Structures are given as C-alpha cells and as structure tokens.
Amino acid sequence: MTAQIISGKELRKEILDEVKLGVAEMKKKTGRVPGLVTILVGESPASQSYVRLKIKTALECGFHEIQDTLPANISEAELLARIEGYNNDPAIHGILVQLPVPKHIDEKKIIKAIDPDKDVDAFHPVNVGRLMIGGDAVRFLPCTPAGIQQMLLRSGTEICGAEVVVVGRSNIVGKPIAVMLAQKGEGANATVTLVHTATRDLPGHCRRADILIVAAGVPGLVKPEWIKPGATVIDVGVNRVGINSKTGKAILRGDVDFEKAKEIAGKITPVPGGVGPMTIAMLMKNTLLSAQLTLGITGDQVLDDADEKK
Ligand code: NAP
C-alpha cells in the first residue's frame, strides 16, 4: 500500500492562515501587530533568497516588517549595537539574524546578544535551556523541529509511547527534536533514540522506529529495507544532487529513497515540499506568539474573545 503523503506545503498554508487570523484579532483588540526585523549581513545569494522569502511571508501575515541589510564589512561592534537597538524597540517582537554571518563576526556572540524573549529562531542558549526543561519554561520552539512536531500531530501520528529514531544530532534539528519528543506532555512522551556516525547497526535502529526522523544531509542514506512497514517517515534532508537542464534550478533529494520508501511507510514527507516549507511557517507562529506574550494576550484568549463577539 502506498503511504499517506504529509504535505508541508498544505500544512504551511494551514498554519499561516492561523497566524493571519491571530494577527487580525490582535489588531482588533490592541491596535498593534507583531513586528519582525530580518538582519542580513553581506550579499550571499542563498541568504538573500531566504531573507526575501521570510520578508514576503511576514508581510502576507500582516506583520510590521523591517528589512535591515548591512554591508559585509560591518564591524562586530556595529552589528551588536544594531541588535541592542531592536532589543529595546517595543514595536519589534522578533529579531532574526540570517546565518551564516561573515567570518570576522563571532556568530555565537551575535546569537547571545539577541534578547531571548525576541529570539524567534530559538537559538539563544537561554531558549535552548528552556527547551531542555520543557513545559511552562518553553517560550519558543526552534522552527524546523517545531515544524516536524506539527507534521506528526496534524497527520494524526501517535507520538505518545512511540519508538522514535532520530538520525543526526545537529543543534538545529536532531538534538532539539529528540528532546522535544521525549518530554513528558502533549505531542511528546515518545521513547527516543538519537543515532549518528558512531552508531553501531544504524539499519537495526531504524527498523525499530514507529517514527523515523532523518536529518543527516546524506542523499538516500536510509534504504527502503530499513523502514518498518507502516512507520511514519519524516525526511528533513535537503540535498542538491544536480541541476535541471530545462529550468536551471537545483534538483533536490532527501535523505530517504522516497519512491521506494513510500511503498513501505504508512506516512511519509516528500522532498521538496515536506519539512522545508514548515520552517518559515513556524517562524511566523513564533513571532505572533512573542507579540501575544509581550502584549499580555494569549492566542486562545484572542480567539475566545472573537467567538464571544459572534
Ligand atoms: P548537520 O549539522 O550536517 O549534521 C548532520 C548529522 O547527521 C550529524 O549529527 C551526523 O553525525 C549525522 N550523520 C551524517 N551522516 C551520517 C551517516 N552516514 N550515518 C549516521 N549519521 C550521519 O545537519 P543539519 O544541519 O541538521 O542538516 C541535516 C539535513 O537537513 C541537511 O540536508 C539540511 O539541508 C537539512 N535541513 C533542512 C531544514 C529544512 O527543511 N527546513 C532545516 C535544517 C536542515 P555526527 O554528529 O556523528 O557527525
């Protein structure tokens, strides 16, 4: 039987519609909208294209959006001063510094300079610590892992009690999603195994997984025979494997052999169109949440009030 495809494109739209609703209700209630600043240092084409997409999405959501494009030779001190300015700006609820920054700037120092309560990427050590503690301590979830969790929840995948295997232990995907799914609480409570290049018997671990999350950056790493029949497979990998001669665009492949895997898995995400589109959606959700928390209103309250007025 062919697996159910979990479409990131469709879920992205669903989440952005919720964000737009939240923004409209916030505006009605407070006259304010979430504010997001995207800071881009230098002219890397890949970074420019990511930033353009973030700005476009923020504007579609109805945010107040500031695009701060800075020259590649800006000093670290000037960039830090810029961030401090946004930390103190009450119209800004989210601060994004597009990474990587030029080599003469210390990336860790930049991340630490962002007010953790405006760190909508959730990369600041304070937010990493809050994630580890879990529950009420969490303010923002990092965007790609949060997108993965939403894909599991919204596709009706049973997480509680499930055997989850996460391939890859990066700070931005593998480690945080492993911690999030192992927490005690809703949308979690799984039994999680985190595997990497030093793992013995990688296929054996993968075969046990009810939920297999792969974030290694190795095209086709996970073979179809490593997948437990009926498992949910989340392929985070985005690998450029060539150029389409007709369109001139990169040909993208995941870490899983999708065509064969979809004949074995119960649910699976495609590449492209899977986890990728979820990341920006979760970034917008974090920015709305930041504004809601700062203004002292929760999303539920805003929606409840709206329901009462109907
Ligand atoms: P990363 O920092 O490169 O880390 C890769 C991880 O995979 C490492 O922990 C590495 O193990 C492990 N790994 C690599 N080869 C392996 C193998 N043969 N067997 C077992 N483990 C192996 O990765 P990342 O930044 O998390 O990115 C992973 C992939 O996800 C990339 O393709 C990236 O483009 C994609 N990605 C997509 C999104 C999105 O869609 N929004 C976001 C982030 C990343 P060691 O630690 O032992 O070296």
Side-chain angles (χ1 to χ4, degrees):
M1 209 177 81
T2 304
Q4 176 196 327
I5 308 297
I6 308 176
S7 165
K9 275 191 199 163
E10 281 170 24
L11 291 178
R12 172 186 189 273
K13 186 181 176 309
E14 197 174 298
I15 291 166
L16 289 179
D17 284 347
E18 291 165 15
V19 172
K20 286 174 196 167
L21 190 63
V23 173
E25 292 303 333
M26 175 180 285
K27 199 170 177 182
K28 210 188 295 175
K29 193 170 175 133
T30 66
R32 309 262 315 263
V33 295
L36 178 68
V37 59
T38 37
I39 302 175
L40 173 63
V41 185
E43 290 173 359
S44 142
S47 292
Q48 282 175 332
S49 116
Y50 289 135
V51 164
R52 261 198 307 273
L53 190 56
K54 287 172 187 174
I55 293 168
K56 182 173 171 277
T57 312
L59 292 173
E60 279 168 10
C61 287
F63 291 0
H64 160 59
E65 158 65 46
I66 296 179
Q67 180 183 2
D68 198 352
T69 307
L70 303 167
N73 63 357
I74 190 170
S75 71
E76 187 181 273
E78 280 175 283
L79 180 56
L80 289 170
R82 204 100 188 166
I83 292 171
E84 191 52 22
Y86 294 121
N87 281 344
N88 296 321
D89 182 346
I92 294 296
H93 306 100
I95 301 172
L96 285 181
V97 179
Q98 185 65 40
L99 300 175
V101 284
K103 287 202 169 57
H104 67 278
I105 297 173
D106 181 348
E107 190 169 294
K108 285 187 191 146
K109 233 187 206 177
I110 297 305
I111 292 172
K112 274 195 199 157
I114 299 170
D115 178 347
D117 288 353
K118 295 189 179 187
D119 166 43
V120 285
D121 263 333
F123 290 158
H124 192 290
V126 165
N127 283 320
V128 176
R130 288 169 168 169
L131 172 79
M132 187 63 78
I133 296 165
D136 292 350
V138 178
R139 182 171 173 103
F140 306 121
L141 293 170
C143 300
T144 301
I148 295 170
Q149 192 177 37
Q150 284 302 312
M151 292 183 111
L152 294 173
L153 287 168
R154 292 177 191 236
S155 64
T157 303
E158 180 72 44
I159 305 174
C160 181
E163 287 284 343
V164 174
V165 173
V166 179
V167 183
R169 54 179 161 187
S170 72
N171 286 333
I172 60 166
V173 188
K175 272 192 251 177
I177 190 65
V179 169
M180 282 162 59
L181 296 182
Q183 296 285 14
K184 189 163 184 148
E186 231 178 291
N189 261 327
T191 305
V192 181
T193 306
L194 186 59
V195 299
H196 42 74
T197 54
T199 297
R200 288 195 296 260
D201 193 14
L202 185 63
H205 283 288
C206 292
R207 269 187 216 111
R208 282 191 299 104
D210 301 312
I211 299 173
L212 180 60
I213 299 171
V214 194
V218 181
L221 172 69
V222 170
K223 310 289 173 258
E225 59 273 19
W226 298 9
I227 296 168
K228 179 175 173 179
T232 297
V233 178
I234 307 287
D235 188 354
V236 189
V238 180
N239 306 291
R240 284 160 207 263
V241 294
I243 299 285
N244 182 318
S245 56
K246 283 186 192 148
T247 62
K249 288 188 177 168
I251 300 169
L252 302 178
R253 290 274 183 280
D255 290 351
V256 178
D257 180 344
F258 177 79
E259 286 307 322
K260 289 185 185 147
K262 76 177 183 352
E263 302 305 321
I264 300 164
K267 295 178 188 142
I268 191 166
T269 62
V271 177
V275 176
M278 297 297 285
T279 301
I280 287 188
M282 300 316 293
L283 195 56
M284 300 302 139
K285 211 169 167 48
N286 275 352
T287 307
L288 171 65
L289 176 67
S290 179
Q292 288 169 334
L293 292 170
T294 304
L295 297 173
I297 49 173
T298 68
D300 288 346
Q301 263 176 348
V302 175
L303 294 177
D304 287 350
D305 289 355
D307 287 343
E308 272 168 31
K309 284 178 196 155
K310 276 183 194 163

